[in-house]
Amino acid sequence: AGPHRATVNGTDVYLGLVPAKRMGDFPAGSPEAKMHGGAPSGSGYFHVNVSLFDSATQAQIQGATVALDVEQVGMGRVTKTLEPMMVRGGASYGGYVRLLPKGSYVFIVHATKPGGAKAIEAKFQERMN
């Protein structure tokens, strides 16, 4: 597993980060431009995407409840509930977060699959340049 993929309790968890300004490159009115109320203005915003797959079957997991803790090392933690969304025809979860340059972050994905399955937690680390 790479730095943006983890396997926890039979679930593959993928984390992606894209600068919010790139989301603004989509045509006005497109689904991407309207996601989560539109890209926030200002510097340092990123669109975060979490995708969940069953490790055995590689089937996408839909209908989960997903939250993300964003911790700047030594500075505190913010929790963001991620919204269901579609990416290339597949279910995913996303939202916008603000990350400061030259900061080290820990991203903790909390997901509960539908049907009362055991909650999962996956941690990722990233240094922003």
Side-chain angles (χ1 to χ4, degrees):
H4 294 97
R5 177 180 173 252
T7 301
V8 181
N9 296 337
T11 302
D12 291 340
V13 181
Y14 292 86
L15 173 73
L17 295 166
V18 175
K21 64 183 176 185
R22 287 183 53 201
M23 300 303 286
D25 292 342
F26 286 96
S30 70
E32 296 86 357
K34 295 189 295 186
M35 275 194 303
H36 322 301
S41 59
S43 63
Y45 285 97
F46 286 77
H47 182 264
V48 62
N49 177 55
V50 171
S51 297
L52 306 172
F53 294 86
D54 181 277
S55 297
T57 66
Q58 288 304 297
Q60 283 191 304
I61 297 171
Q62 298 182 30
T65 301
V66 181
L68 179 71
D69 288 341
V70 180
E71 179 181 333
Q72 186 177 8
V73 177
M75 299 296 286
R77 181 183 289 197
V78 174
T79 300
K80 174 83 175 175
T81 299
L82 301 183
E83 300 173 6
M85 54 185 239
M86 296 299 283
V87 175
R88 297 183 182 158
S92 210
Y93 307 88
Y96 288 102
V97 296
R98 189 161 193 209
L99 307 173
L100 299 174
K102 301 187 190 296
S104 293
Y105 290 88
V106 175
F107 300 94
I108 306 167
V109 175
H110 302 275
T112 304
K113 296 186 276 188
K118 182 178 178 181
I120 61 169
E121 180 179 290
K123 291 184 182 184
F124 304 92
Q125 293 186 350
E126 180 81 28
R127 172 135 178 93
M128 306 309 292
N129 293 320

